[in-house]
């Protein structure tokens, strides 16, 4: 009996020495695994959180649409528990994150670093409500501003009249309509190049990173460099999943999230964008149009109605717009 008790005590001691199995968190990205955001931002974040949890978490990436290929599916994947975390483009699910579409307004966001800082500041100030409150927010960000990539030469605002133009968000689509162009929604990043090559659209509001990621460099002939509105982005986590984690696991996520994540995202995005532009222009014949002050003024005037409409049609629109503009100026001053 004594020998049995000694063996039992030894077995218990060994069991206590073995760490509990890490909680696996599934992180979904619709991008290919080698694309910059997925490879260098999201995957790196997942590794940092796993390390910070000291064995309690194993954040695993599921890139390339492994859990759901359509970018518009990513929000539902988290809601349904298929993914625990996902990178979401709110513009693909219109009506779900309305307040954050302020970043889509033209001539506001100058780069992803300041845009992402301002977006997180809006969230912290409680100005982003509704669906934002239904998730654990890892990051609230914006892309760099979108220019106009096209298969035909369009420089003057009037030259867009009647043209089918795509944008990745509802507010940018409204801005396109204000130019007497035909706004085309429902075309996601992965189908952008095909839509251009088939003539379904003649242009799209986009930025150089998306042109490279979704292989549109060989289709685009012209790129108008104007800040025509940024793309709001979110990293969301299933709230119930987060709340069910240990305090240590939550802390590992929290220290890598919020303002820290938005800053990490913005700086990496801006650095990548410059490199992507150089690579695209080296490999393709694309005419880059840098408008002078006179042409820029024409675009400002032509698109001003989009801002006026957004403020009028959005609940608390003026306050959100004013706060976002102030946060952008604050972020620009500190960078």
């Amino acid at each position: 009996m004594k020998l049995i008790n000694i063996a039992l005590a030894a077995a218990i001691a060994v069991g206590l020495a073995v760490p509990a199995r890490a909680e696996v968190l599934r992180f979904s990205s619709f991008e290919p695994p080698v694309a910059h955001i997925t490879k260098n931002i999201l995957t790196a974040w997942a590794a940092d959180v796993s390390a910070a949890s000291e064995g309690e978490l194993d954040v695993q990436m599921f890139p390339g649409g492994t859990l759901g290929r359509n970018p518009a599916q990513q929000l539902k994947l988290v809601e349904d528990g298929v993914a625990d975390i996902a990178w979401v483009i709110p513009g693909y699910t219109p009506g779900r994150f309305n307040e954050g579409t302020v970043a889509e307004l033209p001539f506001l966001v100058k780069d992803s670093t300041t845009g992402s800082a301002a977006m997180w500041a809006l969230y912290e100030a409680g100005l982003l409500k509704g669906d934002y409150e239904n998730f654990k927010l890892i990051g609230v960000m914006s892309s760099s501003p979108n220019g106009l990539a096209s298969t035909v030469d369009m420089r003057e605002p009037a030259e867009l009249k009647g043209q089918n133009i795509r944008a990745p968000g509802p507010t940018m689509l409204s801005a396109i309509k204000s130019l007497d162009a035909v706004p085309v929604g429902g075309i996601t990043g992965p189908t952008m190049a095909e839509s251009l090559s088939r003539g379904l659209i003649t242009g799209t509001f986009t930025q150089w990173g998306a042109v490279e990621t979704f292989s549109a460099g060989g289709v685009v002939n012209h790129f108008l460099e104007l800040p025509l509105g940024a793309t709001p982005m979110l990293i969301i986590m299933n709230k119930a999943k987060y709340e069910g984690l240990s305090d240590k696991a939550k802390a590992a996520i929290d220290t890598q999230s919020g303002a820290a994540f938005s800053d990490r995202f913005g700086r990496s995005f801006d650095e990548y964008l410059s490199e992507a532009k150089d690579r695209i222009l080296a490999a393709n014949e694309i005419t880059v149009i840098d408008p002078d002050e006179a042409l820029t003024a024409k675009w400002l005037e032509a698109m001003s109605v989009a801002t006026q409409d957004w403020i009028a049609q959005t609940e608390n629109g003026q306050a959100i717009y004013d706060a976002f503009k102030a946060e952008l100026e604050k972020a620009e001053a500190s960078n």
Side-chain angles (χ1 to χ4, degrees):
M1 181 64 72
K2 186 175 180 180
L3 288 174
I4 293 174
N5 288 339
I6 292 171
L8 181 60
I12 292 172
V14 169
L16 291 174
V18 175
R21 187 175 179 180
E23 179 87 22
V24 173
L25 298 180
R26 294 157 297 181
F27 193 157
S28 175
S29 170
F30 58 85
E31 266 193 339
V34 295
H36 176 79
I37 291 175
T38 298
K39 179 182 178 182
N40 297 314
I41 302 178
L42 306 186
T43 301
W45 179 88
D48 288 347
V49 170
S50 298
S53 75
E54 298 180 347
E56 295 216 8
L57 293 175
D58 179 12
V59 186
Q60 297 182 4
M61 291 301 306
F62 289 82
T66 310
L67 298 179
R69 187 171 298 278
N70 190 338
Q73 281 184 286
Q74 304 306 302
L75 180 61
K76 186 169 174 53
L77 292 178
V78 175
E79 289 179 317
D80 293 346
V82 176
D84 301 304
I85 307 170
W87 172 33
V88 169
I89 310 295
Y92 294 156
T93 52
R96 295 296 302 268
F97 300 94
N98 281 340
E99 297 96 335
T101 60
V102 66
E104 293 185 30
L105 292 174
F107 296 94
L108 273 182
V109 174
K110 295 180 180 178
D111 55 55
S112 182
T113 301
T114 56
S116 297
M119 288 294 282
W120 181 259
L122 283 190
Y123 174 72
E124 279 200 315
L127 290 169
L128 305 182
K129 300 182 180 295
D131 272 300
Y132 290 91
E133 299 173 340
N134 297 328
F135 301 92
K136 163 66 178 176
L137 270 296
I138 303 298
V140 183
M141 314 85 67
S142 86
S143 71
S144 62
N146 294 285
L148 175 62
S150 63
T151 55
V152 297
D153 191 349
M154 292 183 282
R155 303 177 187 229
E156 299 273 347
E159 291 174 335
L160 273 72
K161 184 175 182 178
Q163 298 283 354
N164 290 347
I165 308 295
R166 171 255 182 198
T171 299
M172 281 182 279
L173 287 170
S174 295
I176 289 168
K177 188 176 181 180
S178 73
L179 298 168
D180 291 328
V182 180
V184 180
I187 296 176
T188 61
T191 59
M192 179 174 67
E194 181 184 0
S195 298
L196 285 163
S197 66
R198 291 174 58 193
L200 299 177
I201 54 175
T202 53
T204 177
F205 283 21
T206 192
Q207 36 74 27
W208 293 106
V211 172
E212 180 172 69
T213 296
F214 301 117
S215 305
V219 181
V220 170
N221 304 122
H222 296 80
F223 196 101
L224 179 64
E225 292 273 25
L226 276 173
L228 301 178
T231 304
M233 301 179 186
L234 301 171
I235 305 297
I236 62 171
M237 181 174 182
N238 184 288
K239 203 168 189 178
K241 184 72 173 183
Y242 172 78
E243 290 174 348
L245 298 176
S246 69
D247 289 344
K248 188 173 186 179
K250 288 178 184 175
I253 292 171
D254 291 345
T255 56
Q256 304 291 332
S257 301
F261 181 88
S262 293
D263 183 69
R264 173 184 196 157
F265 181 96
R267 293 183 188 281
S268 181
F269 194 101
D270 286 334
E271 183 179 352
Y272 162 66
L273 206 69
S274 176
E275 297 169 354
K277 178 181 178 180
D278 290 343
R279 284 191 295 267
I280 293 165
L281 294 180
N284 303 278
E285 291 188 12
I286 300 174
T287 300
V288 178
I289 306 154
D290 290 303
D292 58 19
E293 288 186 14
L295 183 53
T296 299
K298 287 184 181 180
W299 279 89
L300 270 165
E301 182 180 358
M303 302 187 80
S304 61
V305 66
T307 298
Q308 296 164 11
D309 287 349
W310 187 92
I311 291 172
Q313 295 166 10
T314 303
E315 184 177 353
N316 207 25
Q318 188 68 59
I320 295 170
Y321 176 82
D322 291 343
F324 186 56
K325 197 170 181 181
E327 291 297 341
L328 284 169
E329 291 170 359
K330 188 186 301 182
E332 287 166 17
S334 64
N335 281 282

